[in-house]
């Protein structure tokens, strides 16, 4: 898929949001659209429409068939959208369903994540994982530096308190 260009701007970034029809997914879609992204969202086939949270942006997002329980549909969603970024926000989060359908909830919420990651790996999106790993390394380094600064301040405070009259 070719990069689309807008007047005097960088190529349009593409994002794939699983769970786009949910609360967090709809807010993220709106935010990314406002930042100039092209937004795609895989949606399950349902007997009743579940688009009320994204009704106001339906004309600006591309909905494609996809289900966390179907690995091939996720691979096809990645092929169609060619995203720069993938946000996995899909999950079964209706509490009564946890109790009524515990196996389905577990399958969707745990194995669904694995299927998204595997689809990304299959499509050669390992750069996504590398970026996340580099970010974790950076955060750990910052955390270590902050702990060192805190320890130095503690020692300085103890020394200062020792010499106070």
């Amino acid at each position: 898929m070719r990069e689309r260009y807008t007047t005097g701007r960088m190529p349009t970034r593409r994002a794939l949001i699983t769970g786009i029809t949910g609360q967090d997914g709809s807010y993220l879609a709106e935010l990314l659209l406002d930042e100039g992204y092209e937004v795609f969202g895989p949606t399950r086939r349902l007997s009743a429409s579940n688009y009320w949270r994204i009704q106001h942006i339906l004309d600006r997002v591309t909905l494609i068939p996809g289900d966390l329980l179907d690995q091939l549909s996720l691979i096809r969603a990645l092929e169609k959208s060619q995203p720069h970024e993938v946000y996995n926000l899909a999950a079964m989060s209706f509490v009564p369903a946890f109790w009524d359908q515990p196996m389905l909830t577990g399958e969707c919420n745990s194995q669904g994540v694995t299927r998204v990651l595997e689809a990304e790996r299959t499509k050669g999106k390992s750069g996504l994982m590398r970026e996340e790993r580099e970010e974790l390394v950076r955060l750990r380094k910052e955390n270590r530096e902050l702990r060192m600064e805190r320890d130095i301040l503690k020692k300085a405070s103890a020394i200062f308190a020792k010499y106070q009259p």
Side-chain angles (χ1 to χ4, degrees), residues 17 20-21 39-43 51 54 58 60-66 80:
I17 305 172
I20 194 169
T21 59
V39 175
F40 295 82
T43 58
Y51 301 149
I54 58 170
L58 267 176
R60 298 175 23 195
V61 299
T62 303
L63 299 179
I64 48 183
K80 180 167 182 158

Side-chain angles (χ1 to χ4, degrees), residues 6-61:
T6 54
T7 312
R9 295 178 62 187
M10 297 292 287
T12 301
R13 303 271 309 162
R14 290 180 304 277
L16 179 74
I17 305 172
T18 68
I20 194 169
T21 59
Q23 178 179 322
D24 295 346
S26 62
Y27 287 139
L28 178 60
E30 204 169 336
L31 175 77
L32 293 176
L33 286 167
D34 289 346
E35 290 183 9
Y37 279 66
E38 186 176 358
V39 175
F40 295 82
T43 58
R44 289 184 299 158
R45 174 176 241 165
L46 300 171
S47 57
S49 174
N50 188 26
Y51 301 149
W52 62 273
R53 283 191 186 97
I54 58 170
Q55 193 67 44
H56 64 291
I57 57 172
L58 267 176
D59 59 334
R60 298 175 23 195
V61 299

Side-chain angles (χ1 to χ4, degrees), residues 68-69 88 90-92 102-117:
L68 291 183
L69 301 177
N88 181 33
M92 289 185 64
M103 297 305 288
L104 180 60
T105 301
E107 178 73 16
C108 180
N109 292 358
S110 63
Q111 293 300 311
V113 174
T114 304
R115 286 188 187 95
V116 170
L117 293 171

Side-chain angles (χ1 to χ4, degrees), residues 140-153:
R140 284 186 186 128
K141 182 179 177 188
E142 285 179 9
N143 191 24
R144 186 173 49 244
E145 290 170 357
L146 287 172
R147 281 195 314 260
M148 289 171 54
E149 287 177 19
R150 185 190 65 213
D151 292 345
I152 290 169
L153 287 173

